[in-house]
Amino acid sequence: MSIKLYVGNLSFQTSSDDLQKLFAQVGTVESATVVEDRETGRSRGFGFVEMASKEEGQKAIEEFNGKDLNGRNLTVNEARPREDRGNRGGGGRGGFGGNRGGGRNFGGGGGGGRSDRSPRW
């Protein structure tokens, strides 16, 4: 069974290929990825390596945690499962309605106010 490792404190010059070659020294690497910024394509300074077995992953942690690579001391540990951070598409803020400080509700600040669709008496 494979194991996914988090590799942090990477130099911005470190590539996915560099990680692949380094971790292949201790076992079979199923994948190696340096995480990049979506907009700039620049490294975010961390990545993930998937090793073929737990034993090889443990060996990689022991071998490379604290080791210098391109002038930086690596942080290597077992990756934690990704947290569900909810809807990041912009729709997770409640949508329409509710006075959240910039909505379309006009009227008094506390206690409900009148909406722009309420009749004005």
Side-chain angles (χ1 to χ4, degrees), residues 25-97:
Q25 294 174 18
V26 295
T28 304
V29 177
E30 294 186 348
S31 67
T33 307
V34 171
V35 177
E36 297 176 345
D37 183 270
R38 281 187 209 146
E39 294 179 19
T40 65
R42 185 176 176 209
S43 168
R44 294 189 58 200
F46 69 95
F48 297 94
V49 175
E50 191 170 356
M51 301 296 291
S53 71
K54 276 200 170 280
E55 293 79 20
E56 290 174 334
Q58 204 53 46
K59 187 175 179 184
I61 291 170
E62 292 167 11
E63 181 77 23
F64 301 126
N65 189 40
K67 179 180 173 131
D68 179 85
L69 178 66
N70 296 330
R72 305 286 295 267
N73 291 333
L74 299 180
T75 299
V76 182
N77 50 46
E78 188 170 350
R80 293 187 297 246
R82 188 170 186 162
E83 294 178 9
D84 179 17
R85 293 188 271 172
N87 180 359
R88 294 183 54 120
R93 293 186 166 228
F96 296 103

Side-chain angles (χ1 to χ4, degrees), residues 7-8 12-13 17 36 72 111:
V7 184
F12 294 122
Q13 289 74 38
D17 193 46
E36 297 176 345
R72 305 286 295 267

